[in-house]
Amino acid sequence: MSKLICKCGHVNPEGSELCQACGRTLTEKAAKRKTNDVMRYEGMARRSQTYHASVIDKVWNFFSSVKVGVWLIVITLVASAIGTIFPQEFFIPQNIPAIEYYEDRYGIAGKIYYVLGFHDLYGSWWYMLLVAAIGTSIIIASLDRGIPLYKALKKQRVERHDSFLKRQRIYSAYEAKGSLDTLNRLSEGLKKRRYKVRVENGSLLAEKNQFSRWGPYINHTGLIIFLIGAMLRFVPGMYVDEMLWIREGETQIIPGTDQEYLLKNEGFTLETYQEGDSEVFDETIQRTGAIAKNFQTDAILYKKDENAIAGSTDNITEVDHHAIQVNVPMKFDQFALYQTDYIEDELYKMSFTMDSKETGEPVGSFTVDLFDPNTSGVYELNDGYAVEISGYYPDFSGFDDGEPQSVSPLPNNPAFLFNMISPEHPDGEVAFVAIQQNLEPLGENDYEISFNGIETRDISGLTVRKDLTLWILALGGAIFMFGVIVGSYWNHRRIWIKTDADSHLYAAGHTNKNWYGLKKDIAPAFEYAGLDQPDDHQELKESKGNAKEEDESGTTREHK
């Protein structure tokens, strides 16, 4: 790799814009660039601007580009926005396949949404790849810029060439002021302003708040840690956020616990505000109805024994027993169960009677468990009467070509095809029975099925939560905010003073932001040394432009 040799004799790496010894510009391109742009990384060579040959170089150069990083963030944000158009898979009914739900509910758009992985956006491989690409871009861009900046700031020279000083926005030359006493007074005054001062061979470098240059890199470190925490959520066992719907009396395996823990719902309680309980809620109760005051699940937590069979509810030991409320979770083994939802009065069992049309008297009764109907057996009644369930349609939606249809396995609108066996009809009579429907599809029957009652139960909705990444996310967020504070409330300020044999004194200043703060900060030191404050050439340029425009027009115009 070729080197750039400055007029001062110092050898600089290829890609450098400023000589690291004297500060001269090394290329015509650097000489034409704005001083702020050249000084951003102290004119040091960056790897992405130097190496271009190998595949690794090309990958490095690609991810070190700020434009690439911005586009990756934009693409990720757009994908995240698209992921909110339809509900995520976590929030759709769990009793039907996701592909069927999205296609039936949203048509071709829903099918495309599912095929492209938007239904499980944050768990899709391509979204994780985008997040990884953003993380890679942040790391490479930070190393590409941070390492040269660190080297440059660590090896700062006190003496600088005149051309370097004259390039600075803050610059003035003083005649007959270059005495040792003036230099000492400037040094003393700047030290009072908490500058770190170095003096060599009649030159002075005063520096303050160098640490603020690392604010963006601290931000990037926090972001990387945060992204690592986010990606760890997809590692099995690190993060669980599942919904457990459990009916009264049921015992279910708790999802995410590797079938180690089970929960039994002993009962669900719902308390509501009544009119007169609180003036705050009276108007709302009259307008909308009941308002939940408390809803809770009386639960028993079980743990499987070591010799228990997977999927079995035998060989279990009680671990805990208490009520799970909205803000009172049940905690165990890094898990927490939160009460988040409920469904009241789900149909559980239906009772029927088989009646004689001639006498109007029932010949027997039976009860059907809507979650476990006896579709392959017979409900034996009295004196040779029996009922068979030939068909069960838990969520009856109508007929399609004469066939009853069910839209889901949940008993929201149960319907039955019964075969009624009697001494007169040993082969049975067929009846289709649904809520407010009693049809005889094969002709008029001598017997009929009548409703005799229903039994309901409540369903408790519990959120199963486990998060071993929370401290990583919190650490990343804290580091990021610290970087924001460092980069926002402090700025890197430097003053260069140079004297020559003719008693001339040259003063130049630079800061990465807040030029007004720099001028105000150094003014007392120059006043103490008996010098005027150095000129701000940006302000002088603007004032000259305003004066010229005023002379040409004869009037004063305000510039924004």
Side-chain angles (χ1 to χ4, degrees), residues 48-207:
S48 61
Q49 297 176 335
T50 307
Y51 298 91
H52 306 282
S54 68
V55 175
I56 294 177
D57 295 335
K58 289 179 170 57
V59 172
W60 180 279
N61 297 343
F62 176 80
F63 282 107
S64 67
S65 170
V66 174
K67 290 182 180 179
V68 169
V70 170
W71 272 111
L72 287 172
I73 292 172
V74 169
I75 292 170
T76 304
L77 291 175
V78 170
S80 301
I82 295 173
T84 65
I85 295 176
F86 300 139
Q88 289 290 289
E89 186 177 20
F90 179 80
F91 299 102
I92 68 173
Q94 301 299 306
N95 49 38
I96 57 176
I99 178 62
E100 293 182 13
Y101 173 85
Y102 285 104
E103 187 171 6
D104 293 345
R105 184 98 183 232
Y106 306 110
I108 187 65
K111 184 176 182 179
I112 295 173
Y113 191 83
Y114 177 86
V115 170
L116 294 179
F118 285 101
H119 68 292
D120 184 24
L121 179 67
Y122 306 109
S124 61
W125 65 269
W126 58 265
Y127 191 87
M128 294 300 299
L129 198 62
L130 278 176
V131 173
I134 291 173
T136 303
S137 177
I138 293 173
I139 292 173
I140 292 180
S142 298
L143 292 175
D144 188 63
R145 292 160 175 80
I147 292 176
L149 180 62
Y150 171 77
K151 290 179 178 179
L153 294 178
K154 186 180 179 181
K155 300 177 181 179
Q156 283 189 93
R157 300 289 182 92
V158 175
E159 296 182 67
R160 290 290 180 173
H161 190 262
D162 294 351
S163 63
F164 175 83
L165 301 179
K166 291 177 181 179
R167 283 179 63 93
Q168 306 306 317
R169 172 172 168 174
I170 304 294
Y171 171 76
S172 282
Y174 304 87
E175 294 185 3
K177 297 291 185 179
S179 66
L180 181 60
D181 180 64
T182 303
L183 195 65
N184 289 337
R185 281 181 168 273
L186 280 170
S187 175
E188 187 178 343
L190 290 168
K191 285 179 179 178
K192 288 179 180 178
R193 303 300 296 176
R194 299 181 180 178
Y195 280 81
K196 182 180 178 181
V197 178
R198 294 163 56 196
V199 179
E200 293 179 7
N201 301 324
S203 296
L204 177 150
L205 169 62
E207 187 175 24

Side-chain angles (χ1 to χ4, degrees), residues 181-247:
D181 180 64
T182 303
L183 195 65
N184 289 337
R185 281 181 168 273
L186 280 170
S187 175
E188 187 178 343
L190 290 168
K191 285 179 179 178
K192 288 179 180 178
R193 303 300 296 176
R194 299 181 180 178
Y195 280 81
K196 182 180 178 181
V197 178
R198 294 163 56 196
V199 179
E200 293 179 7
N201 301 324
S203 296
L204 177 150
L205 169 62
E207 187 175 24
K208 185 178 184 179
N209 301 335
Q210 186 188 110
F211 66 88
S212 67
R213 296 290 291 274
W214 307 112
Y217 303 96
I218 297 173
N219 291 348
H220 293 173
T221 302
L223 278 174
I224 291 300
I225 294 173
F226 191 91
L227 289 175
I228 289 172
M231 294 180 72
L232 282 175
R233 289 191 163 198
F234 298 95
V235 175
M238 292 294 292
Y239 180 77
V240 176
D241 189 3
E242 300 281 354
M243 197 70 185
L244 174 63
W245 290 97
I246 183 168
R247 297 173 173 84

Side-chain angles (χ1 to χ4, degrees), residues 121-402:
L121 179 67
Y122 306 109
S124 61
W125 65 269
W126 58 265
Y127 191 87
M128 294 300 299
L129 198 62
L130 278 176
V131 173
I134 291 173
T136 303
S137 177
I138 293 173
I139 292 173
I140 292 180
S142 298
L143 292 175
D144 188 63
R145 292 160 175 80
I147 292 176
L149 180 62
Y150 171 77
K151 290 179 178 179
L153 294 178
K154 186 180 179 181
K155 300 177 181 179
Q156 283 189 93
R157 300 289 182 92
V158 175
E159 296 182 67
R160 290 290 180 173
H161 190 262
D162 294 351
S163 63
F164 175 83
L165 301 179
K166 291 177 181 179
R167 283 179 63 93
Q168 306 306 317
R169 172 172 168 174
I170 304 294
Y171 171 76
S172 282
Y174 304 87
E175 294 185 3
K177 297 291 185 179
S179 66
L180 181 60
D181 180 64
T182 303
L183 195 65
N184 289 337
R185 281 181 168 273
L186 280 170
S187 175
E188 187 178 343
L190 290 168
K191 285 179 179 178
K192 288 179 180 178
R193 303 300 296 176
R194 299 181 180 178
Y195 280 81
K196 182 180 178 181
V197 178
R198 294 163 56 196
V199 179
E200 293 179 7
N201 301 324
S203 296
L204 177 150
L205 169 62
E207 187 175 24
K208 185 178 184 179
N209 301 335
Q210 186 188 110
F211 66 88
S212 67
R213 296 290 291 274
W214 307 112
Y217 303 96
I218 297 173
N219 291 348
H220 293 173
T221 302
L223 278 174
I224 291 300
I225 294 173
F226 191 91
L227 289 175
I228 289 172
M231 294 180 72
L232 282 175
R233 289 191 163 198
F234 298 95
V235 175
M238 292 294 292
Y239 180 77
V240 176
D241 189 3
E242 300 281 354
M243 197 70 185
L244 174 63
W245 290 97
I246 183 168
R247 297 173 173 84
E248 290 179 305
E250 280 188 341
T251 300
Q252 287 194 29
I253 294 173
I254 300 174
T257 63
D258 198 22
Q259 299 191 355
E260 185 178 2
Y261 290 94
L262 300 92
L263 192 75
K264 180 178 181 181
N265 181 355
E266 286 205 308
F268 179 79
T269 303
L270 173 65
E271 299 175 9
T272 59
Y273 286 100
Q274 304 297 323
E275 285 193 54
D277 289 349
S278 172
E279 295 181 0
V280 177
F281 296 115
D282 283 351
E283 183 179 344
T284 305
I285 292 172
Q286 293 173 2
R287 186 175 67 253
T288 63
I291 298 177
K293 183 178 182 180
N294 173 50
F295 51 98
Q296 67 181 50
T297 302
D298 296 320
I300 301 177
L301 178 68
Y302 296 101
K303 184 176 182 179
K304 282 189 176 182
D305 299 335
E306 292 183 1
N307 57 349
I309 300 173
S312 172
T313 58
D314 298 327
N315 299 321
I316 55 178
T317 303
E318 182 177 330
V319 176
D320 198 3
H321 183 186
H322 74 75
I324 303 174
Q325 297 175 308
V326 174
N327 294 316
V328 185
M330 175 184 282
K331 296 183 178 181
F332 64 96
D333 194 19
Q334 298 179 324
F335 287 87
L337 296 175
Y338 293 88
Q339 183 75 62
T340 54
D341 207 348
Y342 62 90
I343 298 175
E344 283 191 287
D345 300 327
E346 181 192 52
L347 293 176
Y348 177 32
K349 294 180 180 180
M350 276 188 170
S351 297
F352 301 91
T353 60
M354 178 176 169
D355 303 331
S356 170
K357 287 186 178 181
E358 183 178 353
T359 64
E361 295 294 325
V363 298
S365 63
F366 61 99
T367 300
V368 178
D369 185 338
L370 300 178
F371 290 87
D372 187 22
N374 188 13
T375 54
S376 60
V378 178
Y379 291 92
E380 297 289 348
L381 306 181
N382 303 320
D383 303 325
Y385 293 93
V387 176
E388 295 177 336
I389 300 180
S390 302
Y392 173 49
Y393 313 95
D395 198 357
F396 175 63
S397 59
F399 294 93
D400 185 7
D401 292 332

Side-chain angles (χ1 to χ4, degrees), residues 479-551:
I479 292 174
F480 177 84
M481 290 307 302
F482 178 69
V484 170
I485 293 170
V486 168
S488 300
Y489 291 96
W490 286 275
N491 31 80
H492 186 202
R493 298 172 179 175
R494 282 175 290 178
I495 300 296
W496 293 274
I497 307 293
K498 181 179 179 180
T499 60
D500 61 18
D502 297 327
S503 297
H504 292 151
L505 184 145
Y506 306 93
H510 182 80
T511 181
N512 58 330
K513 59 178 176 243
N514 191 7
W515 292 91
Y516 173 79
L518 172 63
K519 291 184 290 183
K520 185 178 179 181
D521 198 26
I522 64 175
F526 278 82
E527 183 179 350
Y528 179 69
L531 299 174
D532 293 333
Q533 184 174 329
D535 294 330
D536 183 341
H537 287 264
Q538 181 68 31
E539 285 189 359
L540 290 176
K541 184 178 179 181
E542 292 175 357
S543 63
K544 287 181 180 179
N546 292 343
K548 181 179 180 181
E549 199 165 313
E550 183 178 344
D551 291 341

